[in-house]
Amino acid sequence: MPLVKQIRRRGGLERLAKQHGLRLTRQRRLIFAILESAKTHLNAKQILEQAQRLEPGIDQVTIYRNLGVLKRLGVVDELDLLHLRGDQHYYEARQVRAHSHVACLACGKVFEFYTSAIKTIDRELEKECGFSVSFTRIEIGGQCAACRKSGREAPLPRKGKQAR
Amino acid sequence: MPLVKQIRRRGGLERLAKQHGLRLTRQRRLIFAILESAKTHLNAKQILEQAQRLEPGIDQVTIYRNLGVLKRLGVVDELDLLHLRGDQHYYEARQVRAHSHVACLACGKVFEFYTSAIKTIDRELEKECGFSVSFTRIEIGGQCAACRKSGREAPLPRKGKQAR
DNA sequence: ATGTTATTGCAACTGAGTTGCAACAACAGA
DNA sequence: TCTGTTGTTGCAACTCAGTTGCAATAACAT
């Protein structure tokens, strides 16, 4: 599974903040820093827990409000990762290169996959429909190589509540 | 905007039900029929309202439980449509051909877009990663031709709660 | 240093989705 | 067609992610 090193827009937060009349509070910087350095996709609760280690008084509303702001600015993306683990939403700092999220339905692992086909779709939409693409989200479900080898199947008719 | 006629797997529900020991209740048939004939993407509440017209006593738990079953069977997909209208989830009967959901951030319209590039991605994942794809979900945000013409922009730094 | 105002934290709230359980009904076998 | 098994339904109570109103606080421009 080829994992390309992540490339991110740097130092854009200050510029964007000034542009939109936003203030760079300690809390806002912290939340953005957590997302930028995250190695996995985090949900709101996990972001809160990480933030509270450095900023014990921080409240969950501050997390939600800032996730909202960062989403609107386009520096953070909200994902559902195919609802594999319930109805959670996950967040990641937006990277320069668009990528797909590939989830194994058998073992639950989520990979990132980079392909030029994403650009192809964007170009087609532009040419065929006159649609100007701002961002693309691709989520793919299936069975990873390891699970195919070991014969591990997706527990298809899954029952009951998924882990929250 | 080229809208390809929808092609769906027909008559598969009976087979699947037998296969998995499920019963084809009136309610289950109704919910599936609503999704199959839907011209737009529906959320749970809208499905409930439609169902109650034909089956006044039907409860929302029945909707949720059946959406769960139909999802697990792979005949219904759950989408968030980029959270354009809040954190709602939308449902659609799975079609034979995979397609992308293209949403205009300015006017909120959602289109379906068919492209062979989806197959390209699936093939690449198979060849490069040994990953076997079951389904692909593509959601694209941007500006549609009409909004570009009329100069309508996405209300980017959007504030407050979105319509629920 | 000072005023303006975006932002924070608290507490109370909203609403989508879930759970337990008794009554019901689909369906297979007689 | 009748009958037993058991998957499914509807109800009521619940859970919990995310939101709202508001007073106190703190960025940041001047």
Side-chain angles (χ1 to χ4, degrees), chain A:
Chain A
M1 201 63 77
L3 272 188
V4 175
K5 195 156 162 279
Q6 298 180 352
I7 305 159
R8 301 219 160 109
R9 283 190 245 271
R10 291 301 333 228
L13 201 56
E14 279 77 6
R15 189 179 45 77
L16 277 169
K18 195 153 277 182
Q19 220 170 71
H20 292 274
L22 300 174
R23 291 179 188 170
L24 288 179
T25 60
R26 256 177 310 117
Q27 293 90 331
R28 183 163 291 160
R29 286 179 197 279
L30 175 57
I31 291 166
F32 185 63
I34 287 170
L35 286 167
E36 270 215 309
S37 63
K39 296 202 168 20
T40 58
H41 304 98
L42 303 172
N43 61 28
K45 198 177 166 194
Q46 294 169 318
I47 296 169
L48 175 62
E49 284 161 2
Q50 281 201 33
Q52 283 178 331
R53 281 189 221 132
L54 283 159
E55 188 78 28
I58 197 169
D59 192 88
Q60 58 162 343
V61 283
T62 302
I63 305 295
Y64 283 116
R65 284 195 276 232
N66 274 293
L67 287 174
V69 169
L70 295 171
K71 272 194 294 176
R72 276 179 243 123
L73 291 177
V75 296
V76 163
D77 283 316
E78 186 177 7
L79 314 166
D80 62 29
L81 298 182
L82 300 172
H83 304 290
L84 289 190
R85 314 192 247 285
D87 287 337
Q88 303 263 321
H89 290 166
Y90 296 87
Y91 300 88
E92 68 173 6
R94 188 175 295 179
Q95 301 174 33
V96 171
R97 274 184 82 189
H99 59 277
S100 323
H101 291 108
V102 181
C104 176
L105 302 173
C107 67
K109 251 188 221 132
V110 178
F111 307 90
E112 311 204 329
F113 183 67
Y114 296 78
T115 164
S116 62
I118 298 181
K119 269 192 202 140
T120 306
I121 298 176
D122 293 358
R123 266 197 304 268
E124 285 177 359
L125 267 168
E126 175 76 47
K127 278 190 193 152
E128 294 175 28
C129 311
F131 188 95
S132 161
V133 173
S134 312
F135 59 92
T136 304
R137 182 185 308 162
I138 304 188
E139 297 179 319
I140 294 170
Q143 198 182 15
C144 73
C147 285
R148 280 170 97 176
K149 235 181 218 168
S150 70
R152 170 126 70 143
E153 295 280 347
L156 200 69
R158 236 173 319 173
K159 280 234 171 168
K161 195 170 188 168
Q162 304 309 311
R164 286 218 139 191

Side-chain angles (χ1 to χ4, degrees), chain B residues 3-21:
Chain B
L3 271 188
V4 175
K5 194 155 162 281
Q6 299 182 352
I7 306 159
R8 301 219 159 108
R9 282 188 244 271
R10 293 297 337 228
L13 201 56
E14 280 76 7
R15 189 180 44 79
L16 276 169
K18 196 153 278 185
Q19 219 171 73
H20 292 274

Side-chain angles (χ1 to χ4, degrees), chain B residues 5-162:
Chain B
K5 194 155 162 281
Q6 299 182 352
I7 306 159
R8 301 219 159 108
R9 282 188 244 271
R10 293 297 337 228
L13 201 56
E14 280 76 7
R15 189 180 44 79
L16 276 169
K18 196 153 278 185
Q19 219 171 73
H20 292 274
L22 300 173
R23 288 178 190 173
L24 288 180
T25 61
R26 257 177 310 117
Q27 294 90 331
R28 184 162 291 160
R29 286 178 197 279
L30 175 56
I31 292 166
F32 186 63
I34 287 170
L35 288 167
E36 270 215 310
S37 62
K39 296 204 168 16
T40 59
H41 303 99
L42 303 172
N43 61 28
K45 198 178 167 192
Q46 294 169 317
I47 297 168
L48 176 63
E49 284 161 3
Q50 282 202 32
Q52 282 178 332
R53 280 189 223 133
L54 283 160
E55 189 77 29
I58 198 169
D59 192 88
Q60 57 163 341
V61 284
T62 303
I63 306 295
Y64 284 116
R65 284 195 276 233
N66 274 294
L67 287 174
V69 168
L70 296 171
K71 273 194 293 176
R72 274 179 244 125
L73 291 178
V75 296
V76 163
D77 282 316
E78 186 177 6
L79 313 167
D80 61 32
L81 298 182
L82 299 172
H83 303 290
L84 289 190
R85 313 193 249 283
D87 287 338
Q88 302 264 322
H89 291 167
Y90 297 87
Y91 299 88
E92 71 174 6
R94 188 174 295 178
Q95 300 174 33
V96 171
R97 273 185 83 189
H99 59 278
S100 322
H101 292 108
V102 181
C104 176
L105 302 173
C107 67
K109 249 187 222 135
V110 178
F111 307 90
E112 311 206 328
F113 182 67
Y114 295 78
T115 164
S116 62
I118 298 181
K119 268 192 203 143
T120 306
I121 297 177
D122 293 358
R123 265 197 303 269
E124 284 178 0
L125 267 168
E126 174 77 45
K127 277 189 193 154
E128 293 176 27
C129 311
F131 189 96
S132 161
V133 173
S134 314
F135 60 92
T136 304
R137 183 184 308 164
I138 303 189
E139 297 179 319
I140 295 172
Q143 198 183 16
C144 73
C147 286
R148 280 172 96 174
K149 237 182 216 167
S150 69
R152 167 122 76 137
E153 295 279 346
L156 199 68
R158 236 174 320 173
K159 279 229 169 173
K161 196 171 186 167
Q162 305 308 313

